[in-house]
Amino acid sequence: MSSINTNASAMTALQTLSATNKSLNTTQGRIATGMRVAEASDNAAYWSIATTMRSDNKALSTVQDSLGLGASKVDTAYTGMNKAIDTLNEIKVKLVAATGASDADKAKIDTEIKALQGQLKAYADGATFSGSNMLSVNSGTTATTASDVKIVSAFNRDAAGAASISTIDVNVENIKLYEAGTAAGVNKGILDSNRTAAGAELAVASAATLGTYNAANTFTVDSMELTDGTDFANDQQVGQMLGVVESALKDMTTAATNLGAAKSRIELQKTFTSSLMDSIDRGVGQLVDADMNKESTRLQALQVQQQLGIQALSIANGNSQSILSLFRG
């Protein structure tokens, strides 16, 4: 039946053309953005997952920066510690030379030792990065131990979605060379603590009288001297000082090892974090990125369908014109 009120063919062609145009707009949007899930309406679940993971990746980028800052702090302390070890070895050499030396020579050697002691303090004070110094510490008037240096190392999210932060902690208490804190019972640093010849650290010093040997006497690497200007250390006391230096060197070597281990751990974590960020990027891409090969092929097909739909609609509209021929004389 032919009707001028209802053109079923035209309506079918129009619906088909509308569906083709809608698909064409979707495909063109994917090609323009490179994403098949650009909004929550495209796929709510994938969009939510991708948004959360992108947010976590930004947090990991900050973690990467924190690890870089932490690596610089540790590296600065490690450099200062190595230079201090070299300088303390020089003091050790001077003490060996002082054994059996005359008082005049001891006075000269003492001058050199004092210069080296000053250099040790300079190394420790100068090992500062971004306001952090692990070698020359001031724990204040109440704390008896130095605070750990905490380096943000990871941003974590558990299965329930709760976020947390992990840190790499550097134990400053075991590596500090000087402690300026004044609290009662504060633990002094490696170089300013009272030590016996056997290496034991004592909270209360047993002051030595130069020239008079006492097995219980303690010495401090930072302040020990061969002469006070009047009296001179005898060979037994020089031997005690050597024992103090040896024990300090042992502690500093351990401290340098701890710093080196922390530095290595930070570098490993930086590498892991970088790889993790890449993995998250790939995972998000698999969820929301468009396959440009498929989309370009689909675009060409839809463009052809659009042209055919327009042609079909034109033909369907033309069918109504044929009714006029029935009324021509």
Side-chain angles (χ1 to χ4, degrees):
M1 180 183 75
S2 298
S3 172
I4 62 173
N5 293 322
T6 304
N7 189 336
S9 297
M11 287 189 293
T12 300
L14 183 59
Q15 290 174 358
T16 301
L17 182 59
S18 295
T20 300
N21 286 338
K22 182 177 180 180
S23 297
L24 186 61
N25 288 336
T26 299
T27 300
Q28 287 175 331
R30 290 176 177 177
I31 292 174
T33 62
M35 301 172 64
R36 66 185 179 91
V37 181
E39 300 176 354
S41 57
D42 296 331
N43 187 314
Y46 282 5
W47 181 86
S48 176
I49 294 171
T51 300
T52 300
M53 296 312 296
R54 287 195 189 101
S55 175
D56 288 356
N57 235 19
K58 289 182 179 179
L60 286 174
S61 178
T62 302
V63 169
Q64 190 83 328
D65 294 339
S66 177
L67 285 168
L69 180 61
S72 298
K73 291 179 180 179
V74 172
D75 189 53
T76 299
Y78 182 78
T79 300
M81 184 66 72
N82 274 340
K83 294 300 293 183
I85 289 174
D86 291 342
T87 302
L88 191 53
N89 275 318
E90 289 295 319
I91 292 178
K92 176 181 174 181
V93 170
K94 301 302 180 186
L95 289 175
V96 171
T99 304
S102 65
D103 289 349
D105 287 341
K106 285 180 180 178
K108 296 174 183 177
I109 294 172
D110 184 69
T111 300
E112 294 180 295
I113 289 176
K114 283 183 169 57
L116 292 171
Q117 289 169 332
Q119 195 58 45
L120 283 172
K121 182 63 170 148
Y123 287 145
D125 290 345
T128 302
F129 187 92
S130 187
S132 176
N133 191 320
M134 305 183 204
L135 303 186
S136 186
V137 178
N138 187 343
S139 298
T141 58
T142 57
T144 56
T145 57
S147 300
D148 292 349
V149 170
K150 296 183 178 295
I151 301 168
V152 176
S153 60
F155 175 85
N156 310 307
R157 188 180 295 278
D158 61 21
S164 61
I165 299 294
S166 297
T167 61
I168 294 175
D169 298 340
V170 181
N171 190 337
V172 177
E173 180 65 20
N174 291 335
I175 65 175
K176 63 183 181 181
L177 300 181
Y178 296 91
E179 171 64 80
T182 58
V186 66
N187 296 312
K188 295 304 239 179
I190 295 174
L191 298 181
D192 62 357
S193 59
N194 303 305
R195 295 173 181 265
T196 65
E201 295 186 47
L202 302 180
V204 179
S206 175
T209 300
L210 295 181
T212 303
Y213 172 72
N214 185 336
N217 285 161
T218 61
F219 295 90
T220 302
V221 173
D222 181 53
S223 61
M224 64 184 182
E225 57 186 5
L226 295 177
T227 178
D228 57 8
T230 302
D231 298 318
F232 292 84
N234 57 36
D235 287 348
Q236 288 176 304
Q237 290 178 316
V238 172
Q240 287 179 307
M241 294 179 192
L242 272 172
V244 169
V245 169
E246 279 294 325
S247 66
L249 278 171
K250 181 180 178 181
D251 289 347
M252 290 171 70
T253 300
T254 301
T257 301
N258 292 336
L259 285 170
K263 182 180 178 182
S264 178
R265 184 181 174 189
I266 291 171
E267 290 300 325
L268 288 172
Q269 190 65 25
K270 284 177 64 179
T271 301
F272 169 72
T273 302
S274 179
S275 298
L276 182 60
M277 291 172 65
D278 291 342
S279 297
I280 291 175
D281 282 336
R282 288 194 298 269
V284 171
Q286 291 175 354
L287 290 177
V288 302
D289 286 356
D291 186 333
M292 300 305 285
N293 291 328
K294 290 183 179 179
E295 299 302 334
S296 63
T297 301
R298 185 178 290 114
L299 177 64
Q300 294 179 19
L302 289 172
Q303 287 175 335
V304 172
Q305 291 177 27
Q306 183 187 50
Q307 294 172 5
L308 292 175
I310 293 172
Q311 187 67 30
L313 182 60
S314 177
I315 293 172
N317 288 333
N319 289 337
S320 300
Q321 298 296 323
S322 63
I323 298 177
L324 293 175
S325 63
L326 300 177
F327 298 98
R328 290 175 185 161

